[in-house]
Amino acid sequence: MKKTRFRVVFGFVVGLLVLASCLGVAHSQTAPATAPAAAAPAPPTGSADAELKDATGKAPTMMQLQSGDPGGTITGTINDVPAADTKAGVTLPDVANQVGQNKIAVNFTWTLITGFLVMFMQAGFAMVESGLFRVKNANHTYMMNFFVYTCGLFAYWIIGFAIQMGGAAGNSNLGGLQSLSSEHTVSIFGKMWGLWGQSGMFLAGHTYDVGVMVIFLFEMVFMDTALTIVTGACAERWKFLAFAVSSVIMGAITYPLFGNWAWGGGWLAQLGTNVGLGKGYCDFAGSGVVHAVGGVTALAVSMIVGPRIGKYNRDGSSNPIIGHDISAVLIGCFILAFGWFGFNPGSTLGASANGSLRIGTIAVDTMLAGCTGTIGAILYMWALKGKPDASMSGNGILAGLVAITAPSGFVSPTGACIIGLIAGVLVCVSCSFVENVLKVDDPVGAISVHGTNGLWGVLSVGLLADGTSNYGGSWNGVTGSVTGLFYGDASQLVAQLVGISTLIGVIFTLSLVINLVIEFFIGQRVSIESELAGLDMPEMGQLGYPEFVFRPEPAVLMGQA
Amino acid sequence: MKKTRFRVVFGFVVGLLVLASCLGVAHSQTAPATAPAAAAPAPPTGSADAELKDATGKAPTMMQLQSGDPGGTITGTINDVPAADTKAGVTLPDVANQVGQNKIAVNFTWTLITGFLVMFMQAGFAMVESGLFRVKNANHTYMMNFFVYTCGLFAYWIIGFAIQMGGAAGNSNLGGLQSLSSEHTVSIFGKMWGLWGQSGMFLAGHTYDVGVMVIFLFEMVFMDTALTIVTGACAERWKFLAFAVSSVIMGAITYPLFGNWAWGGGWLAQLGTNVGLGKGYCDFAGSGVVHAVGGVTALAVSMIVGPRIGKYNRDGSSNPIIGHDISAVLIGCFILAFGWFGFNPGSTLGASANGSLRIGTIAVDTMLAGCTGTIGAILYMWALKGKPDASMSGNGILAGLVAITAPSGFVSPTGACIIGLIAGVLVCVSCSFVENVLKVDDPVGAISVHGTNGLWGVLSVGLLADGTSNYGGSWNGVTGSVTGLFYGDASQLVAQLVGISTLIGVIFTLSLVINLVIEFFIGQRVSIESELAGLDMPEMGQLGYPEFVFRPEPAVLMGQA
Amino acid sequence: MKKTRFRVVFGFVVGLLVLASCLGVAHSQTAPATAPAAAAPAPPTGSADAELKDATGKAPTMMQLQSGDPGGTITGTINDVPAADTKAGVTLPDVANQVGQNKIAVNFTWTLITGFLVMFMQAGFAMVESGLFRVKNANHTYMMNFFVYTCGLFAYWIIGFAIQMGGAAGNSNLGGLQSLSSEHTVSIFGKMWGLWGQSGMFLAGHTYDVGVMVIFLFEMVFMDTALTIVTGACAERWKFLAFAVSSVIMGAITYPLFGNWAWGGGWLAQLGTNVGLGKGYCDFAGSGVVHAVGGVTALAVSMIVGPRIGKYNRDGSSNPIIGHDISAVLIGCFILAFGWFGFNPGSTLGASANGSLRIGTIAVDTMLAGCTGTIGAILYMWALKGKPDASMSGNGILAGLVAITAPSGFVSPTGACIIGLIAGVLVCVSCSFVENVLKVDDPVGAISVHGTNGLWGVLSVGLLADGTSNYGGSWNGVTGSVTGLFYGDASQLVAQLVGISTLIGVIFTLSLVINLVIEFFIGQRVSIESELAGLDMPEMGQLGYPEFVFRPEPAVLMGQA
């Protein structure tokens, strides 16, 4: 039997080789005689174009290229510059146009690929969340994380993007984005303040544009990150329909509104130009816009949804509820750390021009803050409990990454280490505070990881921005580099505090009201029976791991204590 | 004990810091006095090169660079343009050559990285498939998905690539690919029609070329995607050896043949230039070439292999066979959606020149179709069964992604949403049709996801291509943009229908014949005992999860009903 | 109930559409009348800048761009080239500066993104390792893999990077890296030999530089790969604290030292310029620097730690210890193969200029060696045991990938296939040798995969480098292409052998001494009780999968036989 198999495989490979040889012979017989490249025309003298014509003549011919270029020495020359008029050959305007094309191309490449990495973070969030939950809710948790991508994208395509970025024209990295031309503004004290954007619905009409598509993709995946944060805090008891409606509204309205104020040319970004507060509210990649908005919304919704059965005892003390899969938690963290290299460095929206070469610093800052965040959380828990704790290690890296998100474009590696270390300790303290003081049940620590540390990240810009960044010489329309209190600009800190207050006040209130309305019309929480049985069967009709055998849950978590 | 640990860690970090400081001091003592950059020579006047020499003189010196560039303001200037003659300095031809080099470099970067993303889809397919199967076949399923990458690549390297792309010279995005110079053609009605390529075996000789390597990598991962589709439809009962042989033949011959006709300059691509049918058969990223070929092959092979024991009752009704891991299914879908950002946008084969900036639109189209595919499938199942279904949600996103693959380069975001929504419903209907009408057992729905929706994707190009794409002003050698029926070009639809008919006719027949031969010589199916026990031990000698405890299978699936 | 849900969803989508329409109307009412772009000024004649001014006039205006550019035909032109003096418009120096900027930007993009892929390999290593271990150690294994990323990064930031790359100035792909300006050297026989670098501690001072950040990120993830190799060989019995200390020292000192000699301008790289041995020690992407250093360290540490309880019987024969999750092993391998496309092709440190277009060849070589490595291991095991073996298939692809790492930049696709095939067989033989002859317990085969095949990879450069590579015309400062024995340069093989001897001698000795010191002060191994119970509870305080039910372990592995 074994021999037969080998004979089959062997005869097979021989057959393929013979076939290959035959084709090779056929090739040498039938290969068309390709015309030699035309001799280079005699170059005229004296002008730029003459010099270029001369260079074209010296460049490798098509016949040379046909012989193959293993070393990469004859590929990629003046012959690869497209000529507007092929008879005239490559002219100086052709060269200059291709330079502009190359700049936009590398910026598109950078922004899209980093955007793809951010999209992949959805897998990481799904794994971290599910791993920290009980196995009886696995399918429900995965489906929330899966469907939120769809919900959010659809809402954002219809209206959210228009609200956020509809007035964002002028980004030279991506070719101008001129068709995002309309921001709704109000005049206060003689200054115009942006409130929301008004172009880009359905990506139709003027905004069916290659540059707009790139910014849409990048902004969309950020929005989806914010949405997915809420699912972590409310899982194991959130009704699927309520979740879906809540997420659509957040993607359509709540998130884009604050996004406009901070990134779309809205009033927070104008605090610098309008009233001289630093460079306006500065949030490089969204510690505030994405993470704190997600975390504050998570707080509001989880307050409405209430704690899981068995989480709190009658005396107010809490019981630990242990997740079912540490491997998913830590692999999820790796995926998130990987995706964060898209999140932060991608937020330059390009690699070429406007100081975008700082992408390397941003990536290293991101990496270092995640590192010191882990160290902070591990050492804190090690000191507290005598052992490093896997779940809090994961939360430590995420806390560091969340905190560095806003300042990543403005601080030094040392600054990043400090920000991350504080975040790593802060997340442990905050988790304990939310659980034991606020008495809010947040199974994954989303409020602490994204909310608390998101706000710390925004604040840290006002403290540690070192004034060395240079994105074309200005930020939010104010000349100069973003500079925090410790480097001399106290007004930047004020701008950050205005942003923080606005975020907490507006987002918490809006989220609370919207989700109370949902509570009234749909109901946010599953029935007690469903919760005890696990949400997989009643809500999804299918278990997460139907063939595996599980241990019974502790009685205290079944409401029997 | 705890204290000891802390002392160790603490002493340790202090030690490192001291070491760092020493080196720092040593550095300041031993740093070599670097020579100041030579003063810029007096620029001559009047010519382009004089202007450049002047600019070089004004550019940052090496000494300035030695002080570090935290803001990215002095890195990346004329000084980074290599001069052919370092004494003469940077000349206009140097600038122009570097412009061509940059264009090719950004196009290589784009094509390779998107190709890497496509390769990573193999992990997604493995997870989706295995998650939908029973735990007793987990190892076998993973090994098929793992080995198919190898099988396919090896066959494609020997001969497949040559058949598909051997005559594909002329792609200016990648530097010309001049060494892929030989297509075997026949003359019919006075027109030359391409049948297969003839250069590129083993990537040796003339085709040992930097550009050819890039296109090989990109085309190879597409081919492997097609191969892996078949494993999903035939799993839980396919003999490993039969699978290996079948896959090698598909990678060596079946797939490359159709690939040549559509993408390698073959006769389907020539339908426009030769007989005026639109722009010829248009399949931007392979709804047909990759997915429908995979799906149609899956149909042929799964008909030969037959349904799993217990799938169908004597009265012809079918039993559900539930997969063992929903988390794997949905994480797999995320990986696939992530990889699809390589699949579709990467198919421009570049970002710079030839209208390649449309990559952003392609990415957004891809994202939106996946979104509406999910919505379609979820709402359809929700309406039908009262609950959203996780497995069909996953198939919904995949169906949308498969369908948008062919049209992604030619339709608007709104068009993409329509295509995806139809796909999401279509996959549910088709799964039911295959299971209950055709009575073909396709455990993952591969025939419906990839076959049915692949064909729908190809068709949709002929309907919804909106005529706004512009890839250097022509497609398949026909001037103008690809335009579907609804935008005025009925002949494009005809070209698509010719492609669909050819695909079904040729691929189904070829696959059927080849796999019947394999059935005769090797046998496609494992023994009844192996199937009931699960394929892991008899075929692979090892269980997937040896330490876990599982529930017994329902009697009906053990052939005992 | 179902109807209610639909009404809610429906009403909701209608609401969003209405809102979108309102905004649309609002937009058309309030969109500001944008000023038409100023008419292009009359171009002067005769000079290069006049030609450019003329081209600017012909380029698309802002008003045209406001109408959207669906086809990507008017985005990316001379208008996207920034002008130093906006009044004068785009001049030739502006064009040339932007060309340099584009070159650096595409090289940063390439190096960073490939670096991100390498970082993601940590997830792959974690999965492969944990999958091959018993479930009772799952949390401990994941935590080692998770924390090693942090440990290593922190140590490398403090001092490791400075030691390795502190004297690496001169890389023109990344803008020069001029601030890495200090290598400590000694003079022997009238030649200067580099021993270690001295700038870059904390990335502060002069080395707070955009280019330095890029190289730091890329080198850091390589270092972390080496560290994680050791955890695989020593898992299931390694004390967490000992692991942490050992890893920090390796990241701070051992790894960077050899890294400096090979890549940082140290003495092994100087073997060509100083004593005429080929192009010096050549290790393109680190078969030696990363993998063999990791593998040799793993050998030293696992010798100190000793075999797991139950691995060896009294008569010296060994028992198989089977891992708990094949899916994790093979998905981990896919992640690693994906990340290897960063590892090898990224090691050009750029895509533009200096022959960096060879990235495509490097990627294909990598892919092919992984393929033939798998084939080698599968056929060897199939022949030996009658069945393909999943674990060894995984090790086969990794062995091929490890072996091609050093030669990937210098060999042809055919050469890569040969190297991989040998590696695939070699890893099987070596695993058996380590287990049965050396009697060293290496649960994942790390010593064979990374150590044995790392050394084979280094050696293969000296044999199969074909002399076609061209990285700016020289390597390690020696003019010409790297060429192995079979292509005519025997002295290259000697350089490789010097590197191999040094690596084994220095790294093994250093690792042994350092880890014996750790053994003395901390103790490397957990207690017998902890090992038998599994390390998860005693070391980490938490099980990996707390809700799942597991089979009891075989008595022989509990020390009871």
Side-chain angles (χ1 to χ4, degrees):
Chain A
M1 182 59 196
K2 239 162 66 183
K3 277 191 189 166
T4 318
R5 284 181 178 175
F6 269 100
R7 266 185 243 145
V8 170
V9 172
F10 182 69
F12 205 64
V13 170
V14 170
L16 282 178
L17 294 175
V18 170
L19 188 52
S21 317
C22 296
L23 268 183
V25 172
H27 176 192
S28 55
Q29 288 170 338
T30 63
T34 34
T45 51
S47 77
D49 289 343
E51 255 195 287
L52 293 172
K53 192 157 268 181
D54 186 41
T56 310
K58 289 175 186 160
T61 63
M62 191 190 285
M63 206 160 61
Q64 286 175 300
L65 285 164
Q66 275 185 333
S67 307
D69 175 22
T73 50
I74 61 174
T75 304
T77 65
I78 188 173
N79 273 353
D80 293 289
V81 178
D85 176 356
T86 45
K87 275 183 208 159
V90 175
T91 63
L92 189 53
D94 292 332
V95 170
N97 279 318
Q98 186 58 35
V99 172
Q101 176 83 193
N102 284 345
K103 174 189 145 187
I104 302 297
V106 68
N107 288 346
F108 274 26
T109 296
W110 177 254
T111 308
L112 286 172
I113 293 176
T114 53
F116 302 161
L117 293 183
V118 177
M119 177 268 162
F120 188 46
M121 291 172 73
Q122 298 288 325
F125 280 115
M127 292 182 81
V128 170
E129 288 183 16
S130 173
L132 289 172
F133 296 145
R134 285 163 294 178
V135 77
K136 66 181 178 182
N137 300 311
N139 186 1
H140 187 264
T141 305
Y142 273 109
M143 272 296 281
M144 285 205 298
N145 276 280
F146 183 73
F147 193 51
V148 80
Y149 175 67
T150 292
C151 285
L153 166 51
F154 197 65
Y156 200 66
W157 172 64
I158 294 177
I159 183 85
F161 175 71
I163 292 177
Q164 185 180 340
M165 303 303 288
N171 186 305
S172 68
N173 267 10
L174 299 177
L177 305 179
Q178 299 303 344
S179 58
L180 295 172
S181 53
S182 175
E183 174 84 4
H184 182 82
T185 56
V186 290
S187 170
I188 300 178
F189 305 128
K191 304 278 186 183
M192 302 302 289
W193 301 87
L195 292 184
W196 62 74
Q198 298 176 119
S199 52
M201 274 82 66
F202 305 101
L203 295 173
H206 289 183
T207 54
Y208 183 8
D209 174 274
V210 292
V212 171
M213 296 296 157
V214 173
I215 190 80
F216 174 85
L217 185 135
F218 197 75
E219 296 300 334
M220 181 269 154
V221 290
F222 274 59
M223 177 276 305
D224 247 349
T225 302
L227 263 58
T228 208
I229 291 166
V230 186
T231 66
C234 303
E236 300 208 303
R237 63 223 194 259
W238 206 7
K239 203 184 278 183
F240 198 79
L241 183 65
F243 139 76
V245 174
S246 179
S247 299
V248 169
I249 299 179
M250 188 177 170
I253 297 168
T254 336
Y255 175 90
L257 208 56
F258 193 81
N260 179 271
W261 300 347
W263 288 346
W267 70 272
L268 282 174
Q270 294 169 311
L271 287 174
T273 47
N274 276 355
V275 293
L277 290 179
K279 273 76 190 171
Y281 171 77
C282 290
D283 188 350
F284 190 72
S287 287
V289 176
V290 179
H291 294 282
V293 164
V296 166
T297 306
L299 175 64
V301 184
S302 60
M303 282 170 64
I304 296 173
V305 174
R308 292 168 292 174
I309 296 171
K311 179 65 195 175
Y312 289 103
N313 301 315
R314 277 180 207 171
D315 61 1
S317 63
S318 67
N319 301 309
I321 302 181
I322 294 167
H324 80 282
D325 191 346
I326 287 290
S327 77
V329 175
L330 294 182
I331 295 298
C333 285
F334 271 131
I335 293 179
L336 288 171
F338 175 53
W340 236 291
F341 286 128
F343 215 94
N344 292 0
S347 290
T348 51
L349 302 175
S352 184
N354 281 321
S356 302
L357 292 179
R358 204 176 156 105
I359 46 178
T361 313
I362 302 169
V364 169
D365 280 359
T366 302
M367 182 178 239
L368 283 170
C371 162
T372 54
T374 313
I375 292 177
I378 282 198
L379 291 187
Y380 183 89
M381 296 305 287
W382 209 334
L384 200 74
K385 308 216 166 173
K387 278 171 190 163
D389 181 88
S391 308
M392 286 313 294
S393 304
N395 275 343
I397 197 173
L398 300 185
L401 292 166
V402 166
I404 198 62
T405 299
S408 59
F410 312 119
V411 301
S412 70
T414 308
C417 282
I418 296 167
I419 291 168
L421 192 67
I422 293 173
V425 174
L426 193 57
V427 71
C428 299
V429 176
S430 173
C431 276
S432 172
F433 179 82
V434 170
E435 178 164 334
N436 299 316
V437 180
L438 294 189
K439 304 281 182 202
V440 168
D441 182 18
D442 174 10
V444 295
I447 297 166
S448 302
V449 168
H450 301 278
T452 310
N453 278 295
L455 297 177
W456 158 232
V458 172
L459 191 73
S460 72
V461 174
L463 300 173
L464 284 159
D466 68 356
T468 63
S469 64
N470 182 302
Y471 298 103
S474 66
W475 193 261
N476 280 337
V478 187
T479 304
S481 297
V482 179
T483 310
L485 178 67
F486 298 160
Y487 294 83
D489 184 0
S491 73
Q492 185 61 52
L493 184 60
V494 178
Q496 301 306 101
L497 289 171
V498 172
I500 289 173
S501 317
T502 306
L503 193 159
I504 297 176
V506 173
I507 297 296
F508 185 79
T509 311
L510 263 181
S511 300
L512 202 67
V513 170
I514 290 167
N515 282 285
L516 282 171
V517 172
I518 296 174
E519 168 74 7
F520 182 77
F521 284 103
I522 308 181
Q524 295 269 10
R525 186 154 180 156
V526 298
S527 70
I528 295 177
E529 295 73 35
S530 295
E531 187 175 343
L532 288 177
L535 277 55
D536 283 2
M537 287 309 291
E539 289 268 303
M540 300 285 113
Q542 175 70 50
L543 295 175
Y545 314 91
E547 295 191 64
F548 289 80
V549 176
F550 302 102
R551 301 182 192 177
E553 274 196 273
V556 66
L557 298 185
M558 299 304 286
Q560 293 158 0
Chain B
M1 182 61 197
K2 238 163 66 180
K3 277 193 189 165
T4 317
R5 284 182 178 175
F6 269 99
R7 264 185 244 146
V8 169
V9 172
F10 183 70
F12 204 64
V13 170
V14 170
L16 282 178
L17 293 175
V18 170
L19 187 53
S21 317
C22 296
L23 268 182
V25 173
H27 176 192
S28 56
Q29 289 170 339
T30 63
T34 33
T45 52
S47 77
D49 289 344
E51 254 194 288
L52 293 172
K53 192 158 267 178
D54 186 41
T56 310
K58 288 177 186 158
T61 63
M62 189 190 288
M63 205 159 63
Q64 286 175 299
L65 284 164
Q66 276 185 333
S67 308
D69 175 22
T73 49
I74 61 174
T75 305
T77 65
I78 188 173
N79 274 353
D80 293 289
V81 178
D85 176 355
T86 45
K87 274 183 208 158
V90 175
T91 63
L92 189 53
D94 291 334
V95 170
N97 279 318
Q98 186 58 36
V99 172
Q101 175 84 191
N102 284 345
K103 174 189 143 188
I104 301 297
V106 68
N107 288 346
F108 274 26
T109 296
W110 177 254
T111 308
L112 286 173
I113 293 175
T114 54
F116 302 162
L117 294 182
V118 177
M119 177 268 163
F120 188 46
M121 291 171 74
Q122 297 289 324
F125 280 115
M127 292 182 81
V128 170
E129 289 184 15
S130 173
L132 289 172
F133 295 144
R134 285 163 294 179
V135 77
K136 67 182 178 182
N137 300 310
N139 186 2
H140 187 263
T141 306
Y142 273 109
M143 272 296 280
M144 284 205 298
N145 276 280
F146 183 73
F147 193 51
V148 81
Y149 175 68
T150 292
C151 284
L153 167 51
F154 198 64
Y156 200 67
W157 172 64
I158 295 177
I159 182 84
F161 175 72
I163 291 177
Q164 185 180 339
M165 305 302 288
N171 186 305
S172 68
N173 267 10
L174 299 177
L177 305 179
Q178 299 304 344
S179 57
L180 296 172
S181 54
S182 174
E183 175 84 3
H184 182 83
T185 57
V186 289
S187 171
I188 300 177
F189 305 127
K191 305 277 187 184
M192 302 301 290
W193 301 87
L195 292 184
W196 62 75
Q198 299 176 118
S199 52
M201 275 81 67
F202 305 102
L203 297 173
H206 290 183
T207 55
Y208 182 7
D209 173 275
V210 291
V212 171
M213 296 296 158
V214 173
I215 190 78
F216 174 85
L217 185 134
F218 197 74
E219 296 300 333
M220 181 271 155
V221 290
F222 274 59
M223 177 277 306
D224 246 351
T225 302
L227 262 58
T228 206
I229 291 167
V230 187
T231 65
C234 303
E236 300 208 302
R237 67 239 194 245
W238 206 7
K239 202 185 278 181
F240 198 79
L241 182 66
F243 139 77
V245 174
S246 179
S247 299
V248 168
I249 298 179
M250 186 177 172
I253 297 169
T254 336
Y255 175 90
L257 208 57
F258 193 81
N260 179 272
W261 299 347
W263 289 346
W267 69 273
L268 282 173
Q270 293 169 310
L271 286 173
T273 47
N274 277 355
V275 292
L277 290 179
K279 274 75 189 171
Y281 171 76
C282 291
D283 188 351
F284 189 73
S287 288
V289 176
V290 178
H291 294 282
V293 164
V296 166
T297 306
L299 176 64
V301 184
S302 59
M303 282 170 64
I304 297 173
V305 174
R308 292 167 292 174
I309 295 171
K311 178 67 194 173
Y312 290 102
N313 301 315
R314 279 181 206 171
D315 61 1
S317 63
S318 67
N319 301 309
I321 303 182
I322 294 167
H324 79 282
D325 191 345
I326 286 291
S327 76
V329 175
L330 294 183
I331 295 298
C333 285
F334 272 131
I335 293 178
L336 288 171
F338 175 53
W340 237 289
F341 285 128
F343 215 95
N344 292 0
S347 291
T348 52
L349 303 177
S352 185
N354 282 319
S356 302
L357 292 180
R358 203 177 156 103
I359 46 178
T361 314
I362 303 168
V364 169
D365 280 358
T366 301
M367 183 178 238
L368 283 169
C371 162
T372 55
T374 313
I375 291 177
I378 282 197
L379 291 186
Y380 183 89
M381 296 304 287
W382 209 335
L384 200 73
K385 308 217 164 171
K387 279 170 190 165
D389 180 90
S391 307
M392 286 313 293
S393 305
N395 275 343
I397 197 172
L398 300 185
L401 291 166
V402 166
I404 198 61
T405 298
S408 59
F410 312 119
V411 301
S412 70
T414 308
C417 282
I418 296 168
I419 291 168
L421 193 67
I422 293 174
V425 174
L426 193 57
V427 73
C428 299
V429 176
S430 174
C431 276
S432 172
F433 179 81
V434 170
E435 178 164 333
N436 298 315
V437 180
L438 295 187
K439 303 282 181 201
V440 168
D441 182 17
D442 173 10
V444 295
I447 297 165
S448 302
V449 169
H450 301 278
T452 310
N453 278 294
L455 297 177
W456 158 233
V458 172
L459 191 73
S460 72
V461 174
L463 301 172
L464 285 159
D466 69 357
T468 63
S469 64
N470 182 302
Y471 299 104
S474 67
W475 192 260
N476 279 338
V478 188
T479 304
S481 297
V482 179
T483 309
L485 179 67
F486 298 160
Y487 293 84
D489 183 359
S491 73
Q492 185 62 52
L493 185 60
V494 177
Q496 301 306 102
L497 290 170
V498 172
I500 289 172
S501 318
T502 306
L503 192 159
I504 297 175
V506 174
I507 298 296
F508 185 79
T509 311
L510 263 180
S511 300
L512 202 68
V513 170
I514 290 166
N515 281 283
L516 282 172
V517 172
I518 295 173
E519 167 75 6
F520 183 78
F521 284 103
I522 308 181
Q524 295 270 9
R525 187 154 180 157
V526 298
S527 70
I528 295 178
E529 295 73 37
S530 295
E531 187 176 344
L532 288 176
L535 277 56
D536 283 2
M537 288 309 291
E539 288 268 302
M540 300 286 112
Q542 175 70 50
L543 294 174
Y545 313 92
E547 294 190 65
F548 289 80
V549 176
F550 301 103
R551 300 181 193 179
E553 274 197 273
V556 66
L557 298 184
M558 300 304 286
Q560 294 159 359
Chain C
M1 181 62 195
K2 238 162 64 181
K3 278 194 189 164
T4 317
R5 282 180 179 176
F6 270 100
R7 263 186 245 144
V8 170
V9 172
F10 183 70
F12 206 61
V13 169
V14 171
L16 282 178
L17 294 174
V18 170
L19 188 52
S21 318
C22 296
L23 269 182
V25 173
H27 176 191
S28 55
Q29 290 168 338
T30 62
T34 34
T45 51
S47 76
D49 288 344
E51 254 196 288
L52 293 172
K53 192 158 266 179
D54 186 40
T56 310
K58 289 176 186 160
T61 63
M62 190 191 285
M63 205 160 62
Q64 286 175 299
L65 285 164
Q66 275 185 334
S67 307
D69 175 22
T73 50
I74 60 174
T75 304
T77 66
I78 187 172
N79 274 353
D80 292 290
V81 178
D85 176 355
T86 46
K87 275 183 209 159
V90 175
T91 63
L92 188 54
D94 292 332
V95 170
N97 279 319
Q98 186 59 35
V99 171
Q101 176 82 192
N102 284 345
K103 174 189 145 187
I104 301 297
V106 68
N107 288 346
F108 274 26
T109 297
W110 177 254
T111 308
L112 286 173
I113 293 175
T114 53
F116 302 161
L117 293 183
V118 177
M119 177 267 162
F120 188 46
M121 291 171 74
Q122 297 288 325
F125 280 115
M127 292 181 80
V128 170
E129 288 183 15
S130 172
L132 289 171
F133 296 144
R134 285 164 294 179
V135 77
K136 67 182 178 181
N137 301 310
N139 186 2
H140 187 264
T141 306
Y142 273 109
M143 272 295 282
M144 284 205 298
N145 276 280
F146 182 74
F147 193 51
V148 80
Y149 175 67
T150 292
C151 284
L153 167 50
F154 197 65
Y156 200 66
W157 171 65
I158 295 177
I159 182 85
F161 175 72
I163 292 177
Q164 185 181 337
M165 304 303 288
N171 186 305
S172 68
N173 267 9
L174 299 177
L177 304 180
Q178 300 304 345
S179 58
L180 295 172
S181 53
S182 173
E183 174 84 3
H184 182 83
T185 56
V186 290
S187 172
I188 301 177
F189 304 127
K191 304 278 186 183
M192 302 301 289
W193 300 87
L195 292 185
W196 61 76
Q198 298 177 121
S199 51
M201 274 81 66
F202 304 101
L203 297 172
H206 290 184
T207 55
Y208 183 7
D209 173 274
V210 292
V212 170
M213 296 296 157
V214 173
I215 190 78
F216 174 84
L217 185 134
F218 198 74
E219 295 300 335
M220 181 270 154
V221 291
F222 274 59
M223 177 276 306
D224 246 350
T225 303
L227 262 58
T228 206
I229 292 167
V230 186
T231 65
C234 303
E236 301 209 301
R237 66 232 194 251
W238 206 7
K239 202 183 277 182
F240 198 79
L241 182 65
F243 139 76
V245 173
S246 179
S247 299
V248 168
I249 298 178
M250 188 178 171
I253 297 169
T254 336
Y255 175 90
L257 207 57
F258 193 80
N260 178 272
W261 300 346
W263 288 346
W267 70 273
L268 282 174
Q270 294 169 310
L271 287 173
T273 47
N274 276 355
V275 293
L277 291 178
K279 274 75 190 170
Y281 172 75
C282 290
D283 187 350
F284 188 73
S287 288
V289 176
V290 178
H291 295 282
V293 164
V296 166
T297 306
L299 176 64
V301 183
S302 60
M303 281 171 64
I304 296 172
V305 175
R308 291 167 293 173
I309 296 171
K311 179 67 194 172
Y312 290 102
N313 301 314
R314 276 179 209 171
D315 62 0
S317 63
S318 67
N319 301 307
I321 302 182
I322 294 167
H324 80 283
D325 190 345
I326 287 291
S327 77
V329 175
L330 293 182
I331 295 299
C333 285
F334 272 131
I335 292 178
L336 288 172
F338 175 53
W340 237 290
F341 285 128
F343 215 94
N344 291 0
S347 291
T348 52
L349 302 176
S352 186
N354 281 322
S356 302
L357 292 179
R358 205 176 155 103
I359 46 179
T361 313
I362 302 168
V364 169
D365 280 358
T366 302
M367 183 178 239
L368 283 170
C371 163
T372 55
T374 313
I375 291 177
I378 282 196
L379 292 187
Y380 183 89
M381 296 305 287
W382 209 336
L384 201 73
K385 308 216 166 173
K387 278 169 191 164
D389 180 90
S391 308
M392 286 313 293
S393 304
N395 275 342
I397 196 172
L398 300 186
L401 291 167
V402 166
I404 198 61
T405 299
S408 59
F410 312 119
V411 301
S412 71
T414 309
C417 282
I418 296 168
I419 291 168
L421 193 67
I422 293 174
V425 174
L426 193 58
V427 72
C428 300
V429 176
S430 173
C431 276
S432 171
F433 179 81
V434 169
E435 177 164 334
N436 298 315
V437 179
L438 293 188
K439 303 282 181 202
V440 168
D441 181 16
D442 174 10
V444 295
I447 298 165
S448 303
V449 169
H450 301 277
T452 310
N453 278 293
L455 297 176
W456 158 232
V458 172
L459 191 74
S460 72
V461 174
L463 301 173
L464 285 160
D466 69 356
T468 64
S469 64
N470 181 303
Y471 298 103
S474 65
W475 193 262
N476 279 339
V478 187
T479 304
S481 297
V482 179
T483 310
L485 178 68
F486 298 161
Y487 293 84
D489 184 0
S491 74
Q492 185 62 53
L493 184 60
V494 177
Q496 301 306 102
L497 289 170
V498 172
I500 289 173
S501 317
T502 306
L503 193 159
I504 297 175
V506 173
I507 297 296
F508 185 79
T509 311
L510 263 181
S511 299
L512 202 68
V513 170
I514 290 166
N515 282 283
L516 281 172
V517 172
I518 295 174
E519 167 75 6
F520 183 78
F521 283 104
I522 310 180
Q524 295 270 10
R525 185 152 181 158
V526 298
S527 70
I528 295 178
E529 295 72 36
S530 295
E531 187 176 343
L532 288 176
L535 278 55
D536 283 2
M537 288 308 291
E539 288 268 303
M540 300 285 112
Q542 174 69 51
L543 294 175
Y545 313 92
E547 295 191 65
F548 289 79
V549 176
F550 301 102
R551 301 183 192 177
E553 274 196 273
V556 65
L557 299 183
M558 300 304 286
Q560 294 156 359

